[in-house]
Amino acid sequence: MRYYDQHLHTYFSPDSSETFENYLDQSDLPVVTTEHLDFFSPAQAMPNVIPDYTGYVQKLDQLNAQYDNRLLKGIEVGFTYADRHRIEDFLADKTYDIQLLSIHHNGRHGFMTLNHDTKSLNTHLDEYFDLMLEAVNHAPYANVLAHFDFGLRGYDNVQLTDLERKEGTLTQIFNKMIEQDQALELNTRSMYRYNNAHLYDYAIALYTQLGGKLFTVSSDAHVAADYQLHFTDAYAMLRRHNVQHLATYQNQTIQLVDLPN
Ligand SMILES: [Zn+2]
Ligand SMILES: [Zn+2]
């Protein structure tokens, strides 16, 4: 099997209007979309984002008949501790091929809409990675930790030294992931649109040094034009770290495939 993009959104996510067909028509590879699940606190006054699972399954069944069964089912779980039971309840009666774990907000504000003037990067990093540790500790159902740098996207020019200060927490996060067989995602949107590739270089080294072997490369595309965004650059980075395989997920079972050239 050849490697395929494992983090995509369609109109089944509120922040995308893309169609499945526009991904399917770009290759003969499997296509897995990972639609958003996010609960918000009353203070945030935001409607919860809950995927229409029935509609999703119906659409995939219809397209699978036309497209050679190439579509797989995925979800991107936005974790908060407060919502952990609601998340588990939602997942309990669904079957997904892949479940991504993300930390998108802290129950008060989203991490893409920070007020930088009032929150220093250091304060933010402390909070963000503590939330990530809490997430991996309470989400053993996740297959992949998505965009580990999501909370840093809102800050310009995050330096390696800023991230290295959090090495203790990152070590705890990665050790827990390794124990739970969870892959580290190379989110190419973060790496090459938000210029955080250097932070991934560091994270790959740390995760590998701790014994981590499972990686995914994913575009996090919300439009079909971003499908497999900069994948060859991400593959080259992994090759420099002597990584030879990538993890794919069908029915949440890991299948390792060769790192493409
Ligand atoms: Zn996300
Ligand atoms: Zn996403």
Side-chain angles (χ1 to χ4, degrees), residues 37-41 44 48-50 78 80 83 86-87 105:
L37 171 70
D38 281 285
F39 293 100
F40 297 98
S41 73
Q44 288 169 287
N48 292 327
V49 173
I50 300 173
T80 70
D83 300 310
R86 283 201 284 184
I87 294 167
H105 70 87

Side-chain angles (χ1 to χ4, degrees), residues 216-235:
T216 62
V217 173
S218 293
S219 67
D220 200 356
H222 288 64
V223 293
D226 286 346
Y227 175 68
Q228 297 196 348
L229 180 79
H230 280 278
F231 268 27
T232 49
D233 295 316
Y235 295 156

Side-chain angles (χ1 to χ4, degrees), residues 7-9 34 36 76 100 102 104 147 187 189 220 222:
H7 187 161
L8 304 170
H9 297 273
T34 47
H36 287 295
E76 178 178 5
L100 308 182
S102 298
H104 287 136
H147 49 44
N187 186 291
R189 194 159 167 236
D220 200 356
H222 288 64

Side-chain angles (χ1 to χ4, degrees), residues 244-255:
Q244 287 161 6
H245 298 97
L246 291 174
T248 64
Y249 294 84
Q250 301 91 37
N251 235 329
Q252 297 190 48
T253 301
I254 298 171
Q255 188 179 344

